[in-house]
Amino acid sequence: MAYAANEMSPEAISERTKPVGNVYTAADLEGIIDSGSAQTSDEPAGPRTGEAVYTAACSACHGTGAAGAPIKGNAEQWASHVAKGHDTLVKHALEGFNAMPARGACVDCSDEEIINAVDYMLDAI
């Protein structure tokens, strides 16, 4: 393929071969991090709310009653579970119970987030 002379200038070649993005190192970002103007961590600022965990992990079963899960907000279905006490409900949520897997299959949920989800569901009844 033949190029016109102006397409072969150093400027034209540089324009065609320039990077499509930039790479920043930790040293490049140090001033930004220190000033607080950018968040560079993937870590959340704190534990997720019970509602957030429920929506992401618990609602598939506790929103539909799948596998016999008591439905959020249905006091009658929750009565026998509530009678066991909060500590037992938390233990079951963390370790699994009957068809429910440990942590409701939320592998990245902290203990605190699981407790938040339990409390969120209990607050609905």
Side-chain angles (χ1 to χ4, degrees):
M1 168 181 242
Y3 287 100
N6 63 348
E7 292 177 346
M8 296 303 291
S9 71
E11 294 81 19
I13 293 170
S14 178
E15 181 64 25
R16 286 194 306 272
T17 60
K18 71 181 179 183
V20 294
N22 297 312
V23 175
Y24 295 98
T25 65
D28 295 329
L29 296 173
E30 195 168 294
I32 295 172
I33 294 169
D34 291 342
S35 70
S37 63
Q39 184 176 354
T40 60
S41 174
D42 289 337
E43 293 295 317
R48 289 172 282 187
T49 65
E51 181 177 12
V53 173
Y54 169 82
T55 300
C58 310
S59 64
C61 295
H62 288 287
T64 64
I71 295 175
K72 177 183 156 280
N74 186 319
E76 185 178 324
Q77 291 180 2
W78 278 94
S80 65
H81 300 279
V82 170
K84 296 174 185 174
H86 186 265
D87 290 345
T88 299
L89 289 175
V90 168
K91 181 180 192 279
H92 289 168
L94 292 171
E95 297 174 5
F97 183 74
N98 291 336
M100 186 178 84
R103 300 180 172 283
C106 184
V107 297
D108 67 339
C109 285
S110 68
D111 288 0
E112 182 177 1
E113 290 171 332
I114 296 295
I115 294 168
N116 290 347
V118 169
D119 292 343
Y120 175 75
M121 287 186 274
L122 292 175
D123 287 346
I125 54 174

